[in-house]
Amino acid sequence: MGPVLFCAYMSELGDVIRKRNINFHIYADDTQLYLAFNHNDPAMTLQRLESCVDDINMWMVCHNLKFNDDKSELIVISSPHNKSEVNSIKIKIGDQILSASSNVRDLGVVIDRVFNMDAHVTLVCKSCYFHMRNIVLLNLILIFTAFQIIHAFITSRLDYCN
């Protein structure tokens, strides 16, 4: 379908979400809903979120698109002191009950429930160490190859008739 035509096709989705007065962000085929609420009484807010997701699902069915319930994630960003309240928050998406995750990935950045970036830093360090080990292994192979080339072209000439 091409990116421009896809964006034009998906532009109506913003109107569907705005009807529920929910903030959102759309990047390509990824849609994120943002909602602030009081963690002591989340029922009304979560009901509004579930209704919005149902509206999105109906819009997608009408436009021959598939809503991936299994790829949907929920994160509640809160103070570290509110762990018990955050763990109890759940919403219904399609046929699934979705519990709040401890962290989610957003365009390559890992966001955790207290928004302190520890999970992201850990993941970046792990990835860097992985690539550094591969470079060291590659370096060992290159050094061995360099020794073979030196022996084939230089040392062999120096040792000739020795």
Side-chain angles (χ1 to χ4, degrees):
M1 178 181 266
V4 175
L5 190 57
F6 181 78
C7 288
Y9 193 71
M10 293 293 290
S11 66
E12 290 178 30
L13 183 60
D15 298 333
V16 172
I17 298 169
R18 278 187 208 93
K19 278 195 295 189
R20 297 287 180 178
N21 198 22
I22 293 178
N23 296 319
F24 65 97
H25 178 78
I26 298 175
Y27 183 81
D29 64 343
D30 186 32
T31 304
Q32 298 167 355
L33 306 177
Y34 302 97
L35 202 53
F37 64 94
N38 185 346
H39 73 278
N40 293 326
D41 186 27
M44 258 328 244
T45 306
L46 294 177
Q47 176 60 34
R48 201 168 96 208
L49 185 61
E50 287 177 358
S51 298
C52 182
V53 171
D54 288 341
D55 290 350
I56 292 170
N57 196 10
M58 287 189 312
W59 180 86
M60 293 187 88
V61 167
C62 290
H63 287 81
N64 298 321
L65 296 169
K66 183 181 181 317
F67 185 85
N68 290 323
D69 301 358
D70 53 332
K71 289 187 178 181
S72 298
E73 294 179 295
L74 169 69
I75 188 164
V76 179
I77 298 173
S78 179
S79 165
H81 308 294
N82 297 332
K83 271 190 180 173
S84 60
E85 292 93 354
V86 169
N87 289 338
S88 65
I89 294 177
K90 296 175 175 28
I91 63 169
K92 186 174 191 283
I93 294 183
D95 297 330
Q96 296 185 13
I97 302 292
L98 201 60
S99 299
S101 299
S102 58
N103 55 47
V104 294
R105 186 177 282 242
D106 179 21
L107 299 176
V109 177
V110 178
I111 300 171
D112 59 6
R113 67 173 60 155
V114 292
F115 214 63
N116 64 8
M117 304 298 283
D118 285 348
H120 180 70
V121 170
T122 301
L123 187 67
V124 168
C125 288
K126 184 178 177 180
S127 174
C128 288
Y129 283 127
F130 172 79
H131 289 295
M132 284 173 42
R133 277 184 295 229
N134 286 339
I135 289 170
V136 167
L137 290 174
L138 182 63
N139 192 20
L140 292 174
I141 293 169
L142 291 176
I143 287 173
F144 180 72
T145 305
F147 281 133
Q148 285 182 326
I149 291 171
I150 289 169
H151 182 69
F153 293 107
I154 298 168
T155 310
S156 63
R157 295 188 194 287
L158 293 173
D159 282 343
Y160 185 69
C161 293
N162 189 358

Short mmCIF file of all heavy atoms in Angstrom, two decimals, residues 32 70-78 83 86-87 98-124 126:
data_model
loop_
_atom_site.label_atom_id
_atom_site.label_comp_id
_atom_site.label_asym_id
_atom_site.label_seq_id
_atom_site.Cartn_x
_atom_site.Cartn_y
_atom_site.Cartn_z
N GLN A 32 -0.40 4.15 20.09
CA GLN A 32 -0.27 4.15 21.54
C GLN A 32 -1.28 5.13 22.12
O GLN A 32 -1.41 6.25 21.63
CB GLN A 32 1.14 4.55 21.95
CG GLN A 32 2.16 3.60 21.44
CD GLN A 32 3.57 4.14 21.54
OE1 GLN A 32 3.80 5.27 21.93
NE2 GLN A 32 4.53 3.31 21.19
N ASP A 70 -3.04 -9.82 20.82
CA ASP A 70 -1.88 -10.46 21.47
C ASP A 70 -0.64 -9.57 21.47
O ASP A 70 0.29 -9.81 22.23
CB ASP A 70 -1.58 -11.80 20.82
CG ASP A 70 -1.41 -11.71 19.31
OD1 ASP A 70 -2.02 -10.82 18.70
OD2 ASP A 70 -0.69 -12.54 18.74
N LYS A 71 -0.59 -8.52 20.65
CA LYS A 71 0.56 -7.61 20.66
C LYS A 71 0.31 -6.38 21.53
O LYS A 71 1.19 -5.55 21.68
CB LYS A 71 0.88 -7.16 19.24
CG LYS A 71 1.48 -8.25 18.38
CD LYS A 71 1.92 -7.68 17.05
CE LYS A 71 2.58 -8.74 16.20
NZ LYS A 71 3.04 -8.17 14.92
N SER A 72 -0.86 -6.26 22.07
CA SER A 72 -1.20 -5.11 22.89
C SER A 72 -0.55 -5.23 24.27
O SER A 72 -0.45 -6.32 24.82
CB SER A 72 -2.71 -5.00 23.07
OG SER A 72 -3.32 -4.81 21.82
N GLU A 73 -0.08 -4.10 24.78
CA GLU A 73 0.56 -4.07 26.09
C GLU A 73 -0.01 -2.91 26.89
O GLU A 73 -0.44 -1.90 26.34
CB GLU A 73 2.07 -3.88 25.95
CG GLU A 73 2.77 -5.04 25.30
CD GLU A 73 4.25 -4.77 25.16
OE1 GLU A 73 4.63 -3.85 24.43
OE2 GLU A 73 5.03 -5.51 25.80
N LEU A 74 0.04 -3.06 28.20
CA LEU A 74 -0.41 -2.02 29.11
C LEU A 74 0.71 -1.74 30.10
O LEU A 74 1.29 -2.67 30.66
CB LEU A 74 -1.66 -2.49 29.88
CG LEU A 74 -2.11 -1.63 31.06
CD1 LEU A 74 -2.64 -0.29 30.57
CD2 LEU A 74 -3.16 -2.37 31.86
N ILE A 75 1.02 -0.48 30.27
CA ILE A 75 1.98 -0.10 31.31
C ILE A 75 1.39 1.07 32.08
O ILE A 75 0.77 1.96 31.50
CB ILE A 75 3.37 0.26 30.74
CG1 ILE A 75 4.36 0.46 31.87
CG2 ILE A 75 3.31 1.46 29.83
CD1 ILE A 75 5.81 0.44 31.46
N VAL A 76 1.53 1.01 33.37
CA VAL A 76 1.08 2.09 34.25
C VAL A 76 2.33 2.69 34.86
O VAL A 76 3.04 2.03 35.60
CB VAL A 76 0.13 1.56 35.34
CG1 VAL A 76 -0.31 2.69 36.25
CG2 VAL A 76 -1.08 0.87 34.71
N ILE A 77 2.60 3.94 34.51
CA ILE A 77 3.78 4.62 35.02
C ILE A 77 3.37 5.35 36.30
O ILE A 77 2.45 6.16 36.29
CB ILE A 77 4.36 5.59 33.98
CG1 ILE A 77 4.78 4.78 32.75
CG2 ILE A 77 5.52 6.37 34.54
CD1 ILE A 77 5.21 5.59 31.58
N SER A 78 4.06 5.01 37.36
CA SER A 78 3.67 5.52 38.67
C SER A 78 4.90 5.60 39.57
O SER A 78 6.00 5.22 39.19
CB SER A 78 2.63 4.58 39.26
OG SER A 78 2.23 5.00 40.54
N LYS A 83 3.42 0.06 43.96
CA LYS A 83 3.52 -1.23 43.27
C LYS A 83 2.27 -2.09 43.41
O LYS A 83 1.80 -2.67 42.44
CB LYS A 83 4.73 -2.01 43.78
CG LYS A 83 5.98 -1.73 43.04
CD LYS A 83 7.05 -2.72 43.45
CE LYS A 83 8.31 -2.41 42.68
NZ LYS A 83 9.42 -3.20 43.12
N VAL A 86 -0.63 -0.73 41.24
CA VAL A 86 -0.34 -0.86 39.81
C VAL A 86 -0.48 -2.30 39.36
O VAL A 86 -1.00 -2.58 38.28
CB VAL A 86 1.07 -0.31 39.48
CG1 VAL A 86 1.49 -0.68 38.09
CG2 VAL A 86 1.11 1.19 39.69
N ASN A 87 -0.04 -3.26 40.18
CA ASN A 87 -0.12 -4.67 39.80
C ASN A 87 -1.56 -5.15 39.66
O ASN A 87 -1.81 -6.13 38.97
CB ASN A 87 0.62 -5.54 40.82
CG ASN A 87 2.12 -5.36 40.72
OD1 ASN A 87 2.63 -4.95 39.68
ND2 ASN A 87 2.82 -5.65 41.79
N LEU A 98 -5.76 -7.96 30.01
CA LEU A 98 -4.38 -7.49 29.94
C LEU A 98 -3.98 -6.90 31.29
O LEU A 98 -4.61 -5.97 31.78
CB LEU A 98 -4.28 -6.43 28.84
CG LEU A 98 -2.94 -6.12 28.24
CD1 LEU A 98 -2.33 -7.36 27.61
CD2 LEU A 98 -3.07 -5.04 27.21
N SER A 99 -2.93 -7.46 31.90
CA SER A 99 -2.39 -6.94 33.15
C SER A 99 -1.28 -5.95 32.84
O SER A 99 -0.66 -6.00 31.78
CB SER A 99 -1.81 -8.08 33.99
OG SER A 99 -2.80 -9.01 34.31
N ALA A 100 -1.03 -5.07 33.79
CA ALA A 100 0.02 -4.07 33.61
C ALA A 100 1.39 -4.76 33.57
O ALA A 100 1.71 -5.57 34.43
CB ALA A 100 -0.02 -3.05 34.74
N SER A 101 2.19 -4.43 32.57
CA SER A 101 3.53 -4.99 32.42
C SER A 101 4.51 -4.18 33.26
O SER A 101 4.28 -3.02 33.57
CB SER A 101 3.98 -4.91 30.96
OG SER A 101 3.13 -5.64 30.14
N SER A 102 5.65 -4.82 33.57
CA SER A 102 6.68 -4.09 34.31
C SER A 102 7.47 -3.17 33.38
O SER A 102 7.97 -2.14 33.81
CB SER A 102 7.61 -5.05 35.02
OG SER A 102 8.22 -5.91 34.09
N ASN A 103 7.56 -3.53 32.10
CA ASN A 103 8.20 -2.65 31.12
C ASN A 103 7.69 -2.98 29.73
O ASN A 103 7.21 -4.09 29.47
CB ASN A 103 9.72 -2.71 31.19
CG ASN A 103 10.28 -4.10 31.03
OD1 ASN A 103 9.87 -4.83 30.14
ND2 ASN A 103 11.20 -4.48 31.89
N VAL A 104 7.77 -1.99 28.84
CA VAL A 104 7.36 -2.15 27.45
C VAL A 104 8.42 -1.52 26.56
O VAL A 104 9.21 -0.70 27.00
CB VAL A 104 5.97 -1.50 27.16
CG1 VAL A 104 4.87 -2.21 27.91
CG2 VAL A 104 5.98 -0.02 27.47
N ARG A 105 8.40 -1.89 25.30
CA ARG A 105 9.33 -1.34 24.33
C ARG A 105 8.58 -0.37 23.43
O ARG A 105 7.53 -0.69 22.90
CB ARG A 105 9.94 -2.46 23.49
CG ARG A 105 11.03 -1.99 22.57
CD ARG A 105 11.61 -3.17 21.84
NE ARG A 105 12.51 -3.86 22.74
CZ ARG A 105 13.81 -4.00 22.51
NH1 ARG A 105 14.33 -3.52 21.41
NH2 ARG A 105 14.57 -4.62 23.36
N ASP A 106 9.16 0.82 23.26
CA ASP A 106 8.56 1.85 22.41
C ASP A 106 9.63 2.35 21.44
O ASP A 106 10.53 3.09 21.83
CB ASP A 106 8.03 3.00 23.27
CG ASP A 106 7.41 4.11 22.45
OD1 ASP A 106 7.03 3.84 21.30
OD2 ASP A 106 7.31 5.24 22.95
N LEU A 107 9.54 1.91 20.19
CA LEU A 107 10.50 2.29 19.15
C LEU A 107 11.94 2.08 19.59
O LEU A 107 12.81 2.92 19.41
CB LEU A 107 10.28 3.75 18.74
CG LEU A 107 8.91 4.07 18.16
CD1 LEU A 107 8.79 5.56 17.89
CD2 LEU A 107 8.64 3.27 16.90
N GLY A 108 12.20 0.93 20.22
CA GLY A 108 13.55 0.57 20.62
C GLY A 108 13.95 1.02 22.01
O GLY A 108 15.02 0.66 22.48
N VAL A 109 13.13 1.81 22.66
CA VAL A 109 13.43 2.27 24.02
C VAL A 109 12.57 1.47 25.00
O VAL A 109 11.37 1.36 24.82
CB VAL A 109 13.14 3.78 24.18
CG1 VAL A 109 13.38 4.24 25.61
CG2 VAL A 109 13.99 4.59 23.21
N VAL A 110 13.21 0.91 26.03
CA VAL A 110 12.47 0.16 27.03
C VAL A 110 12.05 1.13 28.14
O VAL A 110 12.89 1.81 28.72
CB VAL A 110 13.34 -0.98 27.61
CG1 VAL A 110 12.59 -1.72 28.70
CG2 VAL A 110 13.75 -1.94 26.50
N ILE A 111 10.76 1.18 28.37
CA ILE A 111 10.19 2.05 29.40
C ILE A 111 9.67 1.17 30.52
O ILE A 111 8.91 0.24 30.27
CB ILE A 111 9.05 2.91 28.82
CG1 ILE A 111 9.59 3.77 27.67
CG2 ILE A 111 8.41 3.76 29.89
CD1 ILE A 111 8.51 4.48 26.89
N ASP A 112 10.08 1.47 31.75
CA ASP A 112 9.60 0.68 32.87
C ASP A 112 8.56 1.47 33.67
O ASP A 112 8.33 2.65 33.42
CB ASP A 112 10.73 0.19 33.77
CG ASP A 112 11.56 1.31 34.35
OD1 ASP A 112 11.20 2.47 34.16
OD2 ASP A 112 12.57 1.01 35.01
N ARG A 113 7.92 0.79 34.62
CA ARG A 113 6.76 1.37 35.30
C ARG A 113 7.07 2.54 36.21
O ARG A 113 6.17 3.26 36.59
CB ARG A 113 5.99 0.30 36.05
CG ARG A 113 6.73 -0.28 37.22
CD ARG A 113 5.87 -1.20 38.02
NE ARG A 113 5.39 -2.29 37.22
CZ ARG A 113 5.03 -3.45 37.69
NH1 ARG A 113 5.06 -3.69 38.96
NH2 ARG A 113 4.60 -4.39 36.90
N VAL A 114 8.33 2.75 36.56
CA VAL A 114 8.68 3.92 37.37
C VAL A 114 9.44 4.96 36.55
O VAL A 114 9.88 5.97 37.07
CB VAL A 114 9.46 3.54 38.65
CG1 VAL A 114 8.59 2.78 39.60
CG2 VAL A 114 10.71 2.79 38.32
N PHE A 115 9.61 4.70 35.27
CA PHE A 115 10.20 5.63 34.31
C PHE A 115 11.60 6.06 34.71
O PHE A 115 11.96 7.22 34.59
CB PHE A 115 9.27 6.85 34.16
CG PHE A 115 9.27 7.42 32.76
CD1 PHE A 115 8.81 6.66 31.71
CD2 PHE A 115 9.71 8.68 32.52
CE1 PHE A 115 8.80 7.16 30.43
CE2 PHE A 115 9.71 9.21 31.24
CZ PHE A 115 9.24 8.45 30.20
N ASN A 116 12.41 5.10 35.17
CA ASN A 116 13.77 5.45 35.56
C ASN A 116 14.83 4.97 34.57
O ASN A 116 16.01 5.18 34.79
CB ASN A 116 14.09 4.95 36.96
CG ASN A 116 14.08 3.45 37.07
OD1 ASN A 116 13.98 2.74 36.07
ND2 ASN A 116 14.17 2.95 38.28
N MET A 117 14.45 4.31 33.51
CA MET A 117 15.32 3.90 32.42
C MET A 117 16.32 2.80 32.79
O MET A 117 17.21 2.49 32.00
CB MET A 117 16.08 5.10 31.84
CG MET A 117 15.19 6.23 31.35
SD MET A 117 14.09 5.75 30.02
CE MET A 117 15.20 5.73 28.65
N ASP A 118 16.21 2.20 33.97
CA ASP A 118 17.14 1.12 34.35
C ASP A 118 17.07 -0.06 33.38
O ASP A 118 18.10 -0.60 32.98
CB ASP A 118 16.84 0.62 35.77
CG ASP A 118 17.31 1.59 36.83
OD1 ASP A 118 18.06 2.53 36.49
OD2 ASP A 118 16.93 1.40 38.01
N ALA A 119 15.87 -0.45 33.00
CA ALA A 119 15.71 -1.59 32.09
C ALA A 119 16.33 -1.28 30.72
O ALA A 119 16.96 -2.14 30.11
CB ALA A 119 14.24 -1.96 31.94
N HIS A 120 16.16 -0.05 30.25
CA HIS A 120 16.72 0.34 28.96
C HIS A 120 18.25 0.34 29.00
O HIS A 120 18.91 -0.16 28.09
CB HIS A 120 16.19 1.71 28.54
CG HIS A 120 16.73 2.17 27.22
ND1 HIS A 120 16.36 1.59 26.03
CD2 HIS A 120 17.64 3.12 26.91
CE1 HIS A 120 17.00 2.17 25.04
NE2 HIS A 120 17.79 3.11 25.55
N VAL A 121 18.82 0.92 30.06
CA VAL A 121 20.28 0.97 30.19
C VAL A 121 20.85 -0.45 30.26
O VAL A 121 21.85 -0.75 29.62
CB VAL A 121 20.68 1.80 31.43
CG1 VAL A 121 22.15 1.66 31.74
CG2 VAL A 121 20.31 3.26 31.22
N THR A 122 20.19 -1.33 31.01
CA THR A 122 20.64 -2.72 31.10
C THR A 122 20.62 -3.40 29.74
O THR A 122 21.57 -4.09 29.36
CB THR A 122 19.76 -3.50 32.09
OG1 THR A 122 19.84 -2.86 33.36
CG2 THR A 122 20.18 -4.94 32.21
N LEU A 123 19.55 -3.19 28.98
CA LEU A 123 19.44 -3.80 27.65
C LEU A 123 20.49 -3.25 26.69
O LEU A 123 21.10 -4.01 25.93
CB LEU A 123 18.03 -3.57 27.09
CG LEU A 123 17.72 -4.29 25.80
CD1 LEU A 123 17.68 -5.80 26.03
CD2 LEU A 123 16.42 -3.81 25.22
N VAL A 124 20.74 -1.94 26.73
CA VAL A 124 21.75 -1.35 25.85
C VAL A 124 23.15 -1.88 26.21
O VAL A 124 23.93 -2.22 25.32
CB VAL A 124 21.71 0.20 25.93
CG1 VAL A 124 22.92 0.82 25.26
CG2 VAL A 124 20.44 0.72 25.29
N LYS A 126 23.87 -4.74 27.64
CA LYS A 126 23.92 -6.15 27.23
C LYS A 126 24.18 -6.26 25.73
O LYS A 126 25.01 -7.06 25.29
CB LYS A 126 22.59 -6.82 27.60
CG LYS A 126 22.54 -8.28 27.33
CD LYS A 126 21.19 -8.84 27.78
CE LYS A 126 21.06 -10.30 27.45
NZ LYS A 126 19.78 -10.85 27.87
#
